[in-house]
Amino acid sequence: MSETAEKATLAVGGKQLDMPIKKGTIGPDVMDISSLYAQAKMFTFDPGFTSTASCESKITYIDGDEGVLLYRGYPIEQLAEHGDFIETCYLLLYGNLPNLAERKEFEDAITHHTMIHEQMSRFFSGFRRDAHPMAVMVGTVGALSAFYHDSTDINDPRQREIASRRMIAKLPTIAAMTYKYSIGQPFVYPRNDLSYASNFLHMCFAVPCEPYKVNPVLARAMDRIFTLHADHEQNASTSTVRLAGSSGANPFACIAAGIACLWGPAHGGANEAALEMLAEIGHVDNIPKYIAKAKDKNDPFRLMGFGHRVYKNYDPRAKIMQKTAHEVLQELGIKDDPLLDVAVELEQIALKDEYFVERKLYPNIDFYSGITLRALGFPTSMFTVLFALARTVGWIAQWREMIEDPNQRIGRPRQLYTGATQRDYMPMSRRGK
Ligand code: SDX
């Protein structure tokens, strides 16, 4: 970040206050208002953080107006096309694409840390079989801090590195165990001869009774889906991880907090909600009724998988996800998926409707992901688990950046108070009936 000679002048309380303007490499400048309270005894007010930069970061850049997403400067389209999730993890964590030796060291480290402490498998039996998988994920990922004490000292760079690699390695194992537990099948151990995505599909869909061969086309699709979900600037769950980390909480607890936040249907839970919405619509003939519901201010219904706080253009990930949906359906010989027909038609209608056009509401990553994940064999309740699995590397990269920032302080926003002014205690006898 570079300080500029430019200043913003605020006229407040009869005073002229100069606020420094800071420039990034690309994207909007920021007005540094950190001295505002000291100078004017006033706070800024921005409840949804629509105009607030919470931090300086070098990891991911989004241009919402242009529909651009860069991981460490590389366009998501190029990484999805030419790269894979393991090298995307390396890129997000260390800032550059790995060379051959770096990739081998990193991939070997991840591969050889995919097993979890055997005693952790007892955690699952404490849940009902029909527990939502995200409830299981929040609980078991948080519990990792109970098993890996040797990597919870956030001030030790070596322990931060070990914890980072442990979580990237173990989240697929925990996610697969969560799925197996929900369907009453035995857990399948990770295999070191398989790639990250193939190993995950094997742990989810293999059974002890017969060999399971991973379909390379489906594994490639799964790997690309992980890349698309890996990071996304300061979204709600990433901001949760940063805020939790700013208190010095251990990394496992911070990631569990991120999983909890991602669960919400306005955020990562939208992929599950979007597929349920498409299933509820059921047929293209029903689309107009649901478009009307989405536009009706008195109806809480929203088109799930549509709209975004930052993208006011097409989410670049949605385009790649749509292409992946077609690839997977074709590989599986699914000629026509009625839900895909509904999704494509719904998108066409919405993108021409004035209500969506003037609000710049476009499909986001969650609109097509459910169709692909369902075709891969996952139940809708697992969709956000897969999002959390992939986003773990982004959360960790952002958490490390925050911890390693020399100016890092505990995050502690203030408020506009509109409650009762001071008043004296009222004894029961005077409180009326
Ligand atoms: C993710 O932040 C990230 O980066 C998140 C994410 C990531 O990778 O981490 O990209 C992942 O969370 C994607 C978003 C998934 N959520 C959904 O698909 C749920 C449906 N979308 C909406 O709930 C909504 O669009 C949000 C939550 C995504 C964005 O909310 P905002 O920015 O607060 O937008 P808003 O509520 O202020 O909406 C502006 C207008 C409103 O109408 P008016 O009051 O101006 O008349 O657009 C309307 C909204 O009612 N609107 C919608 C709509 N989304 C917004 N109307 C119908 N359907 C929708 N989906």
Side-chain angles (χ1 to χ4, degrees):
M1 167 164 46
S2 59
E3 297 273 345
T4 66
E6 261 182 274
K7 299 234 181 287
T9 302
L10 294 181
V12 63
K15 290 195 272 185
Q16 299 278 324
L17 305 179
D18 283 344
M19 301 290 158
I21 300 285
K22 297 183 174 177
K23 281 186 172 309
T25 39
I26 36 178
D29 297 347
V30 298
M31 180 199 310
D32 180 346
I33 48 99
S34 48
S35 65
L36 177 63
Y37 182 68
Q39 292 190 63
K41 289 289 176 274
M42 184 180 280
F43 302 134
T44 57
F45 186 67
D46 184 12
F49 308 122
T50 48
S51 304
T52 294
S54 62
C55 63
E56 175 187 342
S57 181
K58 300 178 178 4
I59 300 173
T60 293
Y61 176 73
I62 302 170
D63 181 331
D65 296 329
E66 299 301 320
V68 169
L69 170 57
L70 309 177
Y71 288 169
R72 301 282 190 179
Y74 293 97
I76 190 67
E77 295 84 352
Q78 295 182 25
L79 290 169
E81 184 67 29
H82 306 299
D84 67 14
F85 185 62
I86 279 289
E87 70 171 18
T88 299
C89 289
Y90 189 96
L91 173 66
L92 290 169
L93 290 173
Y94 305 113
N96 288 301
L97 288 169
N99 62 31
L100 221 49
E102 289 161 338
R103 183 201 162 98
K104 186 175 180 334
E105 185 278 329
F106 181 71
E107 187 163 24
D108 284 352
I110 298 300
T111 300
H112 292 88
H113 285 83
T114 47
M115 286 177 71
I116 63 171
H117 193 292
E118 192 62 14
Q119 225 171 289
M120 277 201 74
S121 54
R122 295 186 203 156
F123 265 97
F124 293 85
S125 52
F127 290 97
R128 288 169 44 129
R129 291 277 180 180
D130 62 353
H132 193 290
M134 283 297 277
V136 180
M137 289 293 287
V138 171
T140 45
V141 172
L144 285 171
S145 47
F147 286 87
Y148 298 107
H149 287 297
D150 61 341
S151 60
T152 52
D153 175 0
I154 61 154
N155 299 307
D156 177 349
R158 183 168 148 57
Q159 291 196 34
R160 292 201 298 267
E161 181 73 352
I162 292 169
S164 304
R165 293 181 169 201
R166 272 178 167 153
M167 277 189 277
I168 294 166
K170 297 179 192 306
L171 257 286
T173 308
I174 292 172
M177 292 171 81
T178 300
Y179 172 56
K180 284 302 205 188
Y181 183 75
S182 74
I183 57 175
Q185 286 188 359
F187 299 142
V188 174
Y189 284 101
R191 274 182 35 187
N192 293 350
D193 61 323
L194 297 177
S195 70
Y196 193 88
S198 295
N199 184 38
F200 176 64
L201 292 175
H202 184 266
M203 290 191 286
C204 289
F205 299 121
V207 288
C209 334
E210 58 189 29
Y212 175 84
K213 190 166 171 7
V214 178
N215 177 321
V217 174
L218 303 188
R220 176 75 189 122
M222 187 80 261
D223 187 272
R224 188 184 305 138
I225 290 169
F226 289 159
T227 295
L228 293 178
H229 287 83
D231 193 49
H232 212 240
E233 201 212 66
Q234 305 310 319
N235 58 83
S237 53
T238 298
S239 301
T240 300
V241 171
R242 278 181 171 260
L243 199 54
S246 74
S247 76
N250 74 71
F252 305 104
C254 295
I255 299 305
I259 294 173
C261 177
L262 186 75
W263 194 356
H267 189 13
N271 55 15
E272 177 179 354
L275 197 88
E276 283 163 359
M277 173 193 73
L278 294 174
E280 184 185 332
I281 294 172
H283 191 277
V284 293
D285 296 345
N286 300 327
I287 289 173
K289 182 176 86 175
Y290 283 86
I291 293 273
K293 279 171 64 70
K295 291 156 66 172
D296 178 357
K297 286 294 158 219
N298 301 316
D299 189 328
F301 175 80
R302 284 195 162 181
L303 279 193
M304 301 315 280
F306 252 79
H308 198 276
R309 170 60 55 75
V310 177
Y311 288 123
K312 300 309 171 191
N313 196 326
Y314 214 103
D315 181 337
R317 304 168 298 175
K319 284 189 188 129
I320 304 166
M321 188 61 80
Q322 186 183 17
K323 182 168 157 277
T324 305
H326 285 295
E327 276 175 23
V328 167
L329 293 173
Q330 189 181 345
E331 175 64 18
L332 293 169
I334 299 172
K335 291 279 173 288
D336 49 70
D337 176 342
L339 295 192
L340 180 61
D341 297 343
V342 170
V344 171
E345 181 65 13
L346 177 59
E347 175 189 340
Q348 296 306 322
I349 295 173
L351 293 185
K352 294 191 189 84
D353 185 293
E354 193 43 41
Y355 172 91
F356 295 91
V357 171
E358 70 184 31
R359 288 169 180 79
K360 299 184 177 181
L361 301 176
Y362 290 86
N364 60 53
I365 188 166
D366 296 309
F367 190 63
Y368 286 104
S369 58
I371 290 161
T372 315
L373 297 175
R374 188 181 69 136
L376 287 171
F378 294 101
T380 48
S381 60
M382 277 294 291
F383 291 178
T384 312
V385 169
L386 302 179
F387 194 150
L389 187 173
R391 183 56 58 89
T392 292
V393 63
W395 287 330
I396 288 170
Q398 300 272 352
W399 168 77
R400 284 158 60 119
E401 184 177 65
M402 184 268 304
I403 294 282
E404 290 158 9
D405 178 347
N407 302 316
Q408 188 269 326
R409 305 169 71 189
I410 188 167
R412 206 288 187 205
R414 301 303 301 274
Q415 64 181 8
L416 172 67
Y417 179 70
T418 55
T421 55
Q422 183 166 330
R423 52 184 171 166
D424 295 329
Y425 181 77
M426 175 83 73
M428 185 60 81
S429 58
R430 289 176 46 207
R431 290 181 201 167
K433 297 279 174 279

